[in-house]
Amino acid sequence: MRSLLACLLLSGSIACTATNANAPAPASAEAHAEGPLPFIPDDYARALADAKAKGVPLFVDTWAPWCHTCRSMRAYVFTDKALAKHADRFVWLELNTDLTQNATFQEKYPVEFWPTFFIIDPREEKALLRFAGSATVPQLERLFEDGERAYQGGATGAEALLARGDALYGERKPAEAAEALSLALAEAPADWSRRGRALESLLMAQYGAKQYVPCAQKAVVELPRVPRSLSLANGVLNGLGCALAIPDGTPEAADLRHALEAKAREVLAPPAIDMEADDRSGLYEVLVEARKQDKDTAGAKQVAQEWLTFLEGEAAKAPNPEARSVFDSHRMLAAMTLEQPQRAIPALEQSEKDLPQDYNPPARLATLYRLSGRLDDALAANDRALARVQGARRLSVLSGRADIQVARKDTAGAVKTLEEALTFAKTLPSAQVSPRQVESLEKKLAGLKSPAAVPGAAP
């Protein structure tokens, strides 16, 4: 399922020190190696050459260690033995976008959502298909078919329009992709087997084109035509994500949000739709955001309590620490919504013990400790995260450090940390730095330097 909230560029890759750029990847980087598909790690040139030599398309999984959906795919989907029969169908490449060595790929094929899967024609280095978010094994198999069909050519009718929409989205032309995908839905028969997939892709393209109102409206109209299935859940999530992005003051925003919120509750209600726990968690996340947009604090907390109870149950069933860590970030968000950050602390402490090379548990613990008033523990956890972090994510950890310093009334320290972060951002590949993240850091720094933020300063 494709979450439009959790793994956006704004919350995504941010930065890495020169000394850390080539540090060993966290334990999660080995997840593909345990699966049935022969993924090549972090070597686009080698994978491209192999695909050209074999005369097959290149399948690329762009992921990041901080992305819970990426980790869910690696722990629960790409390890499925049912995928073994597809091993020779593509050349397989995995790229950790936290690593500066992968910036060249991101310059050519920008990543805005995590994970994003590309199917690339190695003959022209052209993206035939770009699919953002998670997928089940059957959904992946459909993507394989669609990618091969685009590679071979010859599709007609709605199938050709779907292939065109996929290619346009792969070329970062979301408005044109949305037009082609809308035509595909209009021309296709009612029982078209790819209707659900085409709707998901259409809503994602409309979101990428910032067509938030048309996206939410399309979801309201089309979702009743989709059977109770994972495609329905995906469409609800994407449609509600668009509704939540509609600018304040837009007349139809509340009605669209409420209609899609009701559909999300239907999807979560029995009978259960077969989907990964991380996907179900994404629906809880957008429901919390919908309640917050209505300024319904009590309603947001009620959903968050259901969400956290669900996550705690799923984490208890996880087969190993890596799989359990999939739920860490959402457990943190649910606990913060409840204003009970301490409820997520034991889980994050256990993850840090189990995954000692992973920077995410101490980075998240630093936030939870800060919110719990444990400022010395927060600073120590942030130190541990900074010692482990790699890739563009370092900016986020430094931003968190400044928050801790502000809470400790160390304004000078916070200013120095933010200046360090902004200086460091200038050294990074542009494809791996979020302009919105830099803008946020600059705004935070300006606020700390204002006279009102300096004790004893003149008004």
Side-chain angles (χ1 to χ4, degrees):
M1 179 179 296
R2 292 180 264 183
S3 172
L4 297 176
L5 294 177
C7 290
L8 290 173
L9 183 59
L10 180 60
S11 61
S13 77
I14 326 179
C16 158
T17 62
T19 57
N20 228 11
N22 297 314
S28 59
E30 300 302 321
H32 277 339
E34 300 169 1
L37 299 176
F39 276 93
I40 296 169
D42 302 307
D43 193 339
Y44 174 59
R46 173 189 160 193
L48 182 67
D50 283 359
K52 288 179 179 178
K54 294 179 179 179
V56 298
L58 175 61
F59 182 97
V60 186
D61 170 18
T62 55
W63 72 288
W66 51 264
C67 167
H68 61 87
T69 302
C70 305
R71 297 179 82 129
S72 178
M73 286 295 299
R74 297 166 75 80
Y76 290 100
V77 180
F78 281 121
T79 52
D80 195 312
K81 294 179 180 178
L83 292 172
K85 62 186 176 184
H86 303 291
D88 295 331
R89 203 167 184 176
F90 300 91
V91 168
W92 307 88
L93 173 66
E94 58 178 0
L95 293 177
N96 178 353
T97 61
D98 270 7
L99 300 179
T100 55
Q101 71 194 61
N102 292 328
T104 301
F105 179 90
Q106 289 174 259
E107 290 168 1
K108 189 172 183 62
Y109 307 98
V111 179
E112 298 166 330
F113 306 95
W114 280 259
T116 290
F117 308 120
F118 292 91
I119 294 180
I120 294 172
D121 184 339
R123 297 167 298 190
E124 302 176 15
E125 289 193 70
K126 176 182 178 182
L128 301 171
L129 185 151
R130 177 164 64 112
F131 184 93
S134 70
T136 63
V137 169
Q139 282 181 310
L140 281 177
E141 291 175 332
R142 285 289 180 88
L143 291 178
F144 300 162
E145 292 173 8
D146 291 342
E148 277 190 333
R149 183 179 290 108
Y151 180 73
Q152 296 165 356
T156 59
E159 300 283 354
L161 288 166
L162 174 59
R164 175 167 172 74
D166 284 338
L168 288 167
Y169 189 68
E171 295 169 12
R172 299 187 73 222
K173 298 177 180 178
E176 294 92 329
E179 183 178 356
L181 293 164
S182 292
L183 288 172
L185 286 173
E187 290 193 11
D191 60 351
W192 186 34
S193 64
R194 283 174 168 74
R195 177 170 292 276
R197 213 279 275 173
L199 177 60
E200 294 171 53
S201 296
L202 169 59
L203 299 179
M204 181 61 74
Q206 288 178 314
Y207 186 94
K210 299 183 179 180
Q211 298 173 359
Y212 303 128
V213 171
C215 169
Q217 290 172 333
K218 178 65 73 170
V220 169
V221 170
E222 291 286 344
L223 286 170
R225 305 174 188 175
V226 179
R228 188 171 178 82
S229 62
L230 184 58
S231 286
L232 175 64
N234 289 349
V236 169
L237 183 71
N238 289 355
L240 185 50
C242 284
L244 291 169
I246 295 173
D248 292 340
T250 306
E252 55 267 69
D255 287 344
L256 288 168
R257 188 169 67 246
H258 295 159
L260 290 164
E261 190 178 357
K263 292 296 291 185
R265 293 184 184 279
E266 287 179 24
V267 168
L268 286 172
I273 293 175
D274 184 20
M275 67 177 90
E276 295 293 339
D278 181 69
D279 296 339
R280 191 174 298 275
S281 183
L283 286 164
Y284 280 112
E285 182 184 12
V286 291
L287 282 173
V288 166
E289 292 302 316
R291 290 296 83 224
K292 287 180 178 179
Q293 283 205 10
D294 267 14
K295 302 186 180 350
D296 178 10
T297 301
K301 287 186 175 182
Q302 181 179 347
V303 176
Q305 180 59 63
E306 297 173 18
W307 187 18
L308 187 54
T309 299
F310 166 73
L311 291 168
E312 289 170 342
E314 291 300 316
K317 295 187 293 186
N320 53 57
E322 178 63 38
R324 190 187 65 245
S325 73
V326 166
F327 307 107
D328 283 354
S329 62
H330 274 176
R331 291 173 82 169
M332 174 181 170
L333 289 174
M336 289 167 60
T337 300
L338 289 168
E339 298 180 337
Q340 298 174 14
Q342 67 279 1
R343 284 189 59 178
I345 287 175
L348 271 295
E349 290 176 335
Q350 187 62 51
S351 288
E352 185 172 12
K353 290 178 183 177
D354 293 335
L355 305 169
Q357 300 304 313
D358 190 344
Y359 64 83
N360 287 292
R364 291 166 179 155
L365 277 170
T367 297
L368 294 172
Y369 287 146
R370 173 177 62 81
L371 294 174
S372 300
R374 297 169 56 179
L375 299 183
D376 289 345
D377 290 336
L379 198 60
N382 186 269
D383 284 339
R384 298 194 300 274
L386 284 172
R388 303 170 192 174
V389 70
Q390 57 183 333
R393 194 64 175 175
R394 188 175 183 85
L395 288 183
S396 180
V397 179
L398 287 170
S399 180
R401 186 176 190 82
D403 292 339
I404 298 166
Q405 290 167 322
V406 168
R408 291 166 62 94
K409 304 189 186 306
D410 180 11
T411 303
V415 167
K416 182 178 179 182
T417 295
L418 292 171
E419 288 176 340
E420 175 189 344
L422 288 166
T423 298
F424 178 65
K426 295 176 183 178
T427 70
L428 299 168
S430 60
Q432 292 186 326
V433 180
S434 161
R436 285 179 289 181
Q437 177 73 10
V438 172
E439 182 181 346
S440 175
L441 290 168
E442 291 172 338
K443 183 177 180 180
K444 187 182 292 188
L445 179 60
L448 289 176
K449 286 185 171 182
S450 69
V454 181

